[in-house]
Amino acid sequence: MKKQLALATAALMALSLAACGSTAPASSAAESTSTAASSEAASTDSTAADDGDVLQQAAAAAFANDVTLTMWGAEEDQELLRTIADNFIKEYGNYGGKITINLGTQSESEAKDTVLTDPTAAADVYAFADDQLNELVQAGALQEVQLNADDIKSRNTAASVDAATLNGKLYAYPLTADNGYFMFYDKSFFTEDDVKSLDTMLEKAADAGKKVSMDVANGWYLYSFYAGAGLNLSLADDGVNTVCNWNEAPGADVTQAVIDICKNPGFIA
């Protein structure tokens, strides 16, 4: 089974660099794909790898011949990925071969499902949400980061490294910090005191014929209500399934509160 290196969307933390992938080309199953080939080496002078630089030695061996790689990422990140790819080509494109990096569009939230449908057809490098790490590793769809693991760990926060690590092994490169919650509001309508209370916001919105909106049907966001009440959600021992205690007190009260919110005339899911 072909394995890929991947870019992990690390929970709550942000620091990133791209990774190199395998030398085998991969077809893209993304809905829309943009492709850009590398230019010939920016320098005609070959670069000799420093004996003490493992990455440079690996690059010299990997890119001595022509290489085609495929990288997947979110639609909104295509410009960023193109910059990363071009910088990678500039850095490693002078070892004799021509590097071509094809970009594909693939949602991070659905990356696991796409990859596991056929890992052999997946991209060499792809972005995914960190909560998909366990299943991807168990399916053999990720390759352990070995050449520069210590460097990656030293340049990223402990939390972001943990999000990309399983059983003590680093399987991905922390990329972004977009797993947080954000509330956007119109300050010409809500005051800073208003937004301290969801009840106040709903009441004021209902009186004015306006709406407060939230994706309450999404468990990722729904969990915030239960977590706020001191209830937990965690991974089971198998590292795939989840375990929660939402049926315990005050879980029923939280559930009723969510139902009441959804019924409020000032709310829309």
Side-chain angles (χ1 to χ4, degrees):
M1 175 180 291
K2 174 185 170 185
K3 297 183 179 180
Q4 291 79 22
L5 292 176
L7 304 174
T9 304
L12 305 179
M13 301 296 169
L15 277 180
S16 69
L17 275 183
C20 55
S22 71
T23 56
S27 59
S28 172
E31 293 181 0
S32 62
T33 304
S34 63
T35 302
S38 69
S39 60
E40 294 297 336
S43 171
T44 56
D45 297 330
S46 61
T47 300
D50 186 332
D51 290 342
D53 192 333
V54 176
L55 274 179
Q56 293 296 330
Q57 293 179 47
F63 303 123
N65 300 307
D66 292 353
V67 173
T68 298
L69 302 172
T70 301
M71 180 162 61
W72 289 349
E75 182 176 359
E76 62 270 21
D77 291 338
Q78 292 299 298
E79 184 176 350
L80 167 64
L81 296 179
R82 184 72 270 159
T83 299
I84 291 174
D86 290 345
N87 288 340
F88 184 90
I89 291 169
K90 183 178 180 180
E91 177 74 17
Y92 297 107
N94 54 351
Y95 288 104
K98 177 181 178 182
I99 303 175
T100 301
I101 299 179
N102 300 324
L103 299 187
T105 301
Q106 171 62 58
S107 168
E108 296 165 1
S109 62
E110 299 174 356
K112 171 180 67 68
D113 296 333
T114 301
V115 170
L116 296 188
T117 297
D118 184 3
T120 63
D124 300 284
V125 183
Y126 55 89
F128 65 93
D130 64 277
D131 58 2
Q132 301 171 12
L133 180 73
N134 291 29
E135 290 183 74
L136 288 168
V137 171
Q138 290 192 16
L142 293 179
Q143 178 176 313
E144 180 188 353
V145 178
Q146 294 180 316
L147 290 181
N148 60 338
D150 290 339
D151 180 48
I152 296 302
K153 293 175 182 178
S154 69
R155 291 189 290 107
N156 289 276
T157 61
S160 65
V161 171
D162 286 345
T165 301
L166 182 64
N167 297 327
K169 297 180 179 179
L170 184 68
Y171 284 97
Y173 294 74
L175 177 65
T176 63
D178 50 8
N179 275 359
Y181 295 165
F182 297 88
M183 180 176 70
F184 297 90
Y185 67 93
D186 183 351
K187 66 180 182 180
S188 68
F189 182 79
F190 290 121
T191 68
E192 290 187 14
D193 286 334
D194 289 340
V195 299
K196 294 178 181 179
S197 167
L198 181 57
D199 290 333
T200 299
M201 294 178 69
L202 291 173
E203 180 181 359
K204 191 169 182 179
D207 290 344
K210 297 182 180 295
K211 302 290 184 182
V212 174
S213 179
M214 174 183 175
D215 187 5
V216 74
N218 186 321
W220 174 252
Y221 301 104
L222 183 65
Y223 175 50
S224 60
F225 292 101
Y226 294 89
L231 297 168
N232 298 313
L233 174 69
S234 60
L235 281 175
D237 292 338
D238 61 10
V240 176
N241 294 297
T242 54
V243 178
C244 67
N245 62 347
W246 296 3
N247 283 334
E248 300 176 7
D253 293 335
V254 174
T255 301
Q256 186 60 57
V258 173
I259 292 173
D260 292 342
I261 290 171
C262 292
K263 291 181 177 180
N264 192 295
F267 180 83
I268 185 171

